[in-house]
Amino acid sequence: MERRKFIALLGSGVAGWPLAARAQRPTKILRVGTVGGTPKSSPQWVAFERRMGELGYQEGKNFFFDFLIANADEFEVGYQKLAARAPDVILAIGPEIGLKSALAVTQTLPIVMIAIDYDPLARGYVTSLARPSGNVTGVVFQQVELAAKRIQVIKDGFPDRPAATMFWDQFSADQWEAARSTAAILGLQLFGIELREWPYDYEVALDQAPLDHRGMLVVPTSPFFFRDRARLADFALRHRIVSMFVFREWVDAGGLLSYGPSITALFGRVAEFVDRIARGAQPADLPIEQPTKFEMVVNLKTAKAIGIELPTAILLRADEVIE
């Protein structure tokens, strides 16, 4: 049941990009490279390649996507390998180590960042969102601010549950800090558990939480939590836990709730940045964008399976209810 149609619109005032793109199509092969913590088959990368195709780029004809998969300690080496292959555009995706590693190998090649797990302005990688400095532009997902918002949502939606557990890892440390601070202000007891060695053992992690904190679970976003979205959804379902996630892909996999922007819509937007650069735009001329639309997705089937009735406050706020 779709309550409100979610449309990922970004407030940069550049709605004419696709029309201009069709008017001036680069003729040479465009080489785009990235180092990713999630497989190329993940929904966001499928959305990126689909949008590139809509903009007129065909793999093997006028477009080559050099995709290297990496674990937590492999980003730096991955970007070194990537730079040696001389791409036209580099995508620095996900965690901070992606952008840091990309900037370490080039100060001249255009970099389109997809800052999911950190704030590049607060960390000093760019001096302005409206007028980016150097060779970096792209999209910022605002996950640090949204981590606090998710705590507000579960506190308001489940007032009879005074305690929760939050998993976090090295890539989501900022989200954990924001969530912990907000929980303290709102009076929610939040117990954090850091996952360190991948593959993560969620059973062992939950056993570390106090018994009265195990009924509600908050999971931030990181490359490895996103890889594990089906595992995490199944884990919460088996333990009959109220679960709050970041993107709807977790809820599609069986999680209970998610609140955040559409990751697939924003990766499609990244393709438009790449297209603009391919046609001659400089990163410094392309304002960094932030999502302006957010969606709450609820899985009613999961609610029934774990034996809870979703509060009216949650159902009224939901943009989509999966039955």
Side-chain angles (χ1 to χ4, degrees):
M1 177 175 62
E2 194 168 292
R3 293 185 176 275
R4 296 190 297 274
K5 182 69 175 176
F6 172 69
I7 304 175
L9 295 175
L10 293 156
S12 62
V14 287
W17 285 15
L19 289 176
R22 287 192 290 270
Q24 301 178 39
R25 178 65 47 233
T27 56
K28 73 166 190 174
I29 293 179
L30 174 65
R31 300 178 64 87
V32 178
T34 194
V35 179
T38 56
K40 191 179 178 183
S41 58
S42 297
Q44 70 273 27
W45 290 119
V46 172
F48 170 76
E49 292 193 280
R50 179 172 60 246
R51 184 63 182 134
M52 290 297 291
E54 291 169 353
L55 291 168
Y57 296 92
Q58 298 182 37
E59 186 86 32
K61 292 186 178 180
N62 62 346
F63 174 55
F64 176 71
F65 190 26
D66 194 357
F67 186 95
L68 303 179
I69 190 73
N71 288 319
D73 58 349
E74 297 173 339
F75 278 83
E76 292 184 16
V77 173
Y79 277 101
Q80 290 168 6
K81 291 179 179 178
L82 197 65
R85 300 176 186 179
D88 299 302
V89 181
I90 289 179
L91 305 184
I93 61 95
E96 182 181 1
I97 188 64
L99 181 57
K100 184 177 181 180
S101 299
L103 285 169
V105 299
T106 181
Q107 295 292 319
T108 56
L109 287 176
I111 296 174
V112 178
M113 67 175 174
I114 311 166
I116 297 177
D117 309 311
Y118 65 101
D119 182 342
L121 184 61
R123 294 292 173 89
Y125 292 106
V126 295
T127 57
S128 169
L129 298 183
R131 298 181 64 85
S133 55
N135 59 327
V136 177
T137 188
V139 175
V140 177
F141 272 51
Q142 297 177 281
Q143 288 303 345
V144 177
E145 296 93 329
L146 289 172
K149 181 65 175 179
R150 291 181 194 102
I151 297 300
Q152 179 77 62
V153 168
I154 61 173
K155 175 64 176 175
D156 293 345
F158 301 94
D160 58 332
R161 294 175 182 259
T165 294
M166 181 168 173
F167 292 161
W168 61 281
D169 61 9
Q170 63 174 310
F171 297 123
S172 52
D174 288 355
Q175 296 170 68
W176 157 241
E177 292 297 336
R180 179 171 64 173
S181 298
T182 302
I185 293 170
L186 298 179
L188 177 70
Q189 301 172 47
L190 188 64
F191 188 84
I193 299 171
E194 182 182 5
L195 285 297
R196 296 182 178 179
E197 295 184 8
W198 198 82
Y200 296 153
D201 191 328
Y202 300 115
E203 298 290 345
V204 170
L206 188 64
D207 286 343
Q208 298 175 37
L211 288 173
D212 60 350
H213 287 62
R214 298 182 188 180
M216 192 154 59
L217 177 67
V218 181
V219 180
T221 185
S222 84
F224 302 105
F225 289 142
F226 194 79
R227 277 195 203 183
D228 282 351
R229 60 191 180 278
R231 280 185 62 208
L232 278 162
D234 179 69
F235 168 82
L237 186 62
R238 285 188 290 104
H239 287 276
R240 301 170 69 86
I241 297 174
V242 171
S243 54
M244 167 62 87
F245 298 101
V246 173
F247 300 122
R248 69 162 298 141
E249 283 73 14
W250 269 287
V251 180
D252 289 336
L256 182 64
L257 298 167
S258 69
Y259 179 78
S262 167
I263 190 171
T264 54
L266 293 181
F267 268 66
R269 192 60 170 171
V270 165
E272 295 174 10
F273 274 92
V274 171
D275 177 57
R276 286 274 288 180
I277 291 169
R279 291 185 292 109
Q282 297 300 312
D285 298 329
L286 302 177
I288 294 168
E289 298 182 358
Q290 297 174 302
T292 59
K293 297 292 183 180
F294 306 93
E295 60 180 352
M296 180 183 292
V297 183
V298 177
N299 193 319
L300 196 59
K301 181 179 179 181
T302 296
K304 294 176 181 178
I306 65 177
I308 68 165
E309 185 172 339
L310 285 170
T312 302
I314 293 290
L315 293 174
L316 288 176
R317 293 185 65 171
D319 296 278
E320 185 175 346
V321 178
I322 298 174
E323 298 192 75

